[in-house]
Every structure is written in C-alpha cells, then in structure tokens.
Amino acid sequence: MQPKLNRDAISGFLLALIGAAAAYRAFDYGIGSAARMGSGYFPLLIGGALVLLGAVIAIGGLRASATPVHIPRRELFLIAFSVASFALIIGRFGLFPALGVSVLLACLADRGAGLRQTIGIVLFSCLLVWLVFVIGLNSPTALIKV
C-alpha cells in the first residue's frame, strides 16, 4: 500500500524543512558548547526540535487515511503578497503605510472579513506597533515618510 499525502504529512515535511534550514544556518554563528554557548547554540536546538516535531507530524500524517489536499491559491497568493508588500513599502513610505497595506491584503484573504473589521484590524495593528516599537522599545523607526 502506497502512502498518500495529506495535510498533516505535508505540514510535517515543511516544518522539518524549516527546522533543517534553521539548524544549518545556526552553524554560521558559532555553536560553542553547553557550558559556553555560542550565538548559534539556541537556533540549532530550536531547528533540531522543529525537525523532530515535523518528522513526528509527517509520520502520523502518512499513517492516517489520505484526504485530498486542497491548496487555496487565492489566499496563499494574498498572504505572500502581503508579506512582500510590507518589505517593499516600509523603506519608502514608513512603518504605518507598510503595515496598513500588508494587513489590508491579509484581510482580503479572509472572505468573511468586512470593511469595518479590516479597518479595525489595521488601526489596532498600527496602535500596537506604535506602543511596542516607539513607546516600549524607543526604536528610531520612521512611522510615516513624506
């Protein structure tokens, strides 16, 4: 009997892949030892834990009955475009416009989100980012560039 991929198996494989990439990158920072931990020690442990957790989830998914995997293309595109738009906008226009566009695109991925809810999420996100970065961390972040 050939195992069929389902959501759990695919999620487990992706989680293990992300963990392996994190563990691989940790070696660039110097691992050190348990007594004198280097800057890559903790990322290596987290990456290894992700690989282990991903393997457990993938094996459980391969053993379960196969259900067809539906990839929501519209939602996947909008979330990826949301992240990319944040990266493209923040340098030129500042944090608030980048966050507003990014959250707006992410809310478009939710078919049930209305205009009032989306505006509320954008405003709450801007308030939270302002409280954390400007007030809490005293970060010299340009909120709006003219």
Side-chain angles (χ1 to χ4, degrees):
M1 176 180 208
Q2 182 178 4
K4 304 228 183 204
L5 294 179
N6 58 19
R7 284 180 185 249
D8 287 342
I10 293 172
S11 299
F13 288 134
L14 289 176
L15 193 61
L17 183 66
I18 291 169
Y24 176 75
R25 292 286 300 171
F27 286 105
D28 292 343
Y29 297 110
I31 303 301
S33 65
R36 286 185 65 78
M37 296 178 192
S39 58
Y41 192 83
F42 188 69
L44 178 66
L45 290 178
I46 295 297
L50 284 176
V51 168
L52 183 65
L53 182 64
V56 168
I57 292 172
I59 290 170
L62 289 174
R63 289 184 176 183
S65 63
T67 56
V69 178
H70 168 70
I71 299 174
R73 289 182 182 94
R74 176 182 176 269
E75 291 83 358
L76 185 65
F77 171 76
L78 282 170
I79 296 298
F81 192 57
S82 169
V83 174
S85 71
F86 184 87
L88 293 172
I89 294 172
I90 192 167
R92 174 167 253 186
F93 298 106
L95 183 61
F96 282 170
L99 187 63
V101 170
S102 178
V103 170
L104 177 69
L105 288 171
C107 285
L108 288 175
D110 181 12
R111 295 183 191 268
L115 181 62
R116 290 174 59 193
Q117 181 183 7
T118 301
I119 292 172
I121 292 172
V122 168
L123 292 175
F124 179 75
S125 299
C126 288
L127 174 68
L128 186 64
V129 163
W130 177 72
L131 286 173
V132 170
F133 288 102
V134 175
I135 302 299
L137 297 174
N138 201 17
S139 175
T141 304
L143 298 178
I144 298 177
K145 290 184 180 180
V146 181

